[in-house]
């Protein structure tokens, strides 16, 4: 029996710098060079002023849980060994919101408002996922 493959992100021209940074254990977000708006997920244009002068800045990797859910049934067979797991919306201190798993943590320990810190989960040769752990 063939093991199910975990669905992985497919980097694009726009998102490649994000995935390259993650492989180096860095979390990066976009910032507009014109109006300084920060944004996530990566886009080709600034969502505020439509400039295409977008730069990448390093996040300190600290944030707060905005909301979360606990998946008790795997969304696909490849995740069957991971349940229950936490899917969270995290407000980074730099002002953007992103989705990630909170790992290495009992789900019942997670709260809205919990402080979290980024960590990096290598899932293939090409893809390392920015994930989060509870900050202690
Ligand atoms: Zn802008």
């Amino acid at each position: 029996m063939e093991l199910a493959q975990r669905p992985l992100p497919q980097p694009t021209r726009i998102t490649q710098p994000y995935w390259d940074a993650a492989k180096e254990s860095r979390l990066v977000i976009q910032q507009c060079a014109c109006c300084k708006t920060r944004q996530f997920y990566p886009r080709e244009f600034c969502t505020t002023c439509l400039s295409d002068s977008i730069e990448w800045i390093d996040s300190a990797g600290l944030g707060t849980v905005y909301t979360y859910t606990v998946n008790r049934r795997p969304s696909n067979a490849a995740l069957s060994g991971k349940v229950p797991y936490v899917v969270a919306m995290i407000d980074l201190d730099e002002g953007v919101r992103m989705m990630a798993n909170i790992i290495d943590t009992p789900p019942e320990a997670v709260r809205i408002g919990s402080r979290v810190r980024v960590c990096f989960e290598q899932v293939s040769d090409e893809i390392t996922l920015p994930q989060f752990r509870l900050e202690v």
Side-chain angles (χ1 to χ4, degrees), residues 10 24-26 34 36 41 53 63 65 73-74 76 86-87 89 103 115-116 120 128 135:
Q10 302 290 315
E24 299 170 356
S25 298
R26 292 185 301 118
C34 295
K36 303 303 180 191
Y41 54 92
S53 295
V65 175
R73 297 187 347 166
N76 64 69
V86 176
V87 180
M89 298 295 291
I103 63 172
R115 291 290 287 167
V116 291
F120 296 90
T128 296
E135 178 79 335

Side-chain angles (χ1 to χ4, degrees), residues 18 21-22 24-29 40 57-62 92 94 98 118 120 130-132:
Y18 175 82
E24 299 170 356
S25 298
R26 292 185 301 118
L27 178 61
V28 295
I29 60 175
F40 189 89
I57 62 170
D58 277 57
S59 164
L62 292 168
L92 292 181
E94 288 83 8
M98 65 182 293
V118 74
F120 296 90
Q131 303 280 37
F132 287 81

Side-chain angles (χ1 to χ4, degrees), residues 1-6 77-78:
M1 190 178 80
E2 187 175 327
L3 289 176
Q5 294 289 312
R6 180 175 179 165

Side-chain angles (χ1 to χ4, degrees), residues 80-105:
S80 60
K82 298 218 176 236
V83 291
Y85 61 90
V86 176
V87 180
M89 298 295 291
I90 292 159
D91 288 340
L92 292 181
D93 290 355
E94 288 83 8
V96 300
R97 182 170 292 160
M98 65 182 293
M99 184 181 289
N101 296 132
I102 299 176
I103 63 172
D104 301 333
T105 303

Side-chain angles (χ1 to χ4, degrees), residues 31-37 45-51 53-54:
Q31 178 171 280
C32 175
C34 295
C35 75
K36 303 303 180 191
T37 296
F45 297 95
C46 171
T47 56
T48 297
C49 75
L50 301 182
S51 167
S53 295
I54 300 291

